[in-house]
Amino acid sequence: MPYQAGDIISEGTLRIEDLLPIFVSAARELDTQGSWTAWLDGIEQCFESKGYFESDLARDDFEELFQFLQDNAPERTYFGAHPGDGACFGFWPLEEEEE
């Protein structure tokens, strides 16, 4: 896995036009088999479309990418915003469950 607990992929912004390209790049790193290349290429092609980042499609793509990053997070980590900084996205360690 290219990522590990504590790796930050974006910080200091919540703008969808900043986050979508970063999320696509992170998804490509996690897609080691290339299974999602066509999907990710399609999203990137939309970046050049006028009004894309303000569209419902961009919001849908953002949600799907966020879910993809969560689903493919390295073992014993989760993807999301840092607990203390909502504009810092990365892979954070799962808290150990007490037995």
Side-chain angles (χ1 to χ4, degrees):
M1 282 277 166
Y3 293 108
Q4 56 188 346
D7 284 349
I8 296 169
I9 67 164
S10 175
E11 58 187 327
T13 184
L14 290 172
R15 293 171 11 130
I16 197 167
E17 58 266 33
D18 295 331
L19 294 173
L20 272 172
I22 292 166
F23 284 15
V24 166
S25 178
R28 285 190 189 284
E29 286 192 48
L30 292 172
D31 182 26
T32 58
Q33 300 297 315
S35 304
W36 300 96
T37 300
W39 173 59
L40 296 168
D41 287 349
I43 293 172
E44 282 186 321
Q45 289 175 359
C46 292
F47 293 170
E48 302 302 319
S49 300
K50 184 176 179 161
Y52 168 72
F53 290 108
E54 294 80 27
S55 71
D56 288 340
L57 177 58
R59 283 184 287 283
D60 291 346
D61 287 343
F62 178 86
E63 289 176 13
E64 290 175 4
L65 279 164
F66 198 97
Q67 187 64 52
F68 177 88
L69 293 170
Q70 286 179 328
D71 291 347
N72 292 279
E75 196 172 318
R76 292 187 295 277
T77 70
Y78 70 95
F79 175 79
H82 185 275
D85 181 354
C88 180
F89 293 92
F91 297 93
W92 314 112
L94 289 171
E95 299 205 9
E96 298 292 325
E97 293 183 25
E98 294 185 30
E99 295 186 31

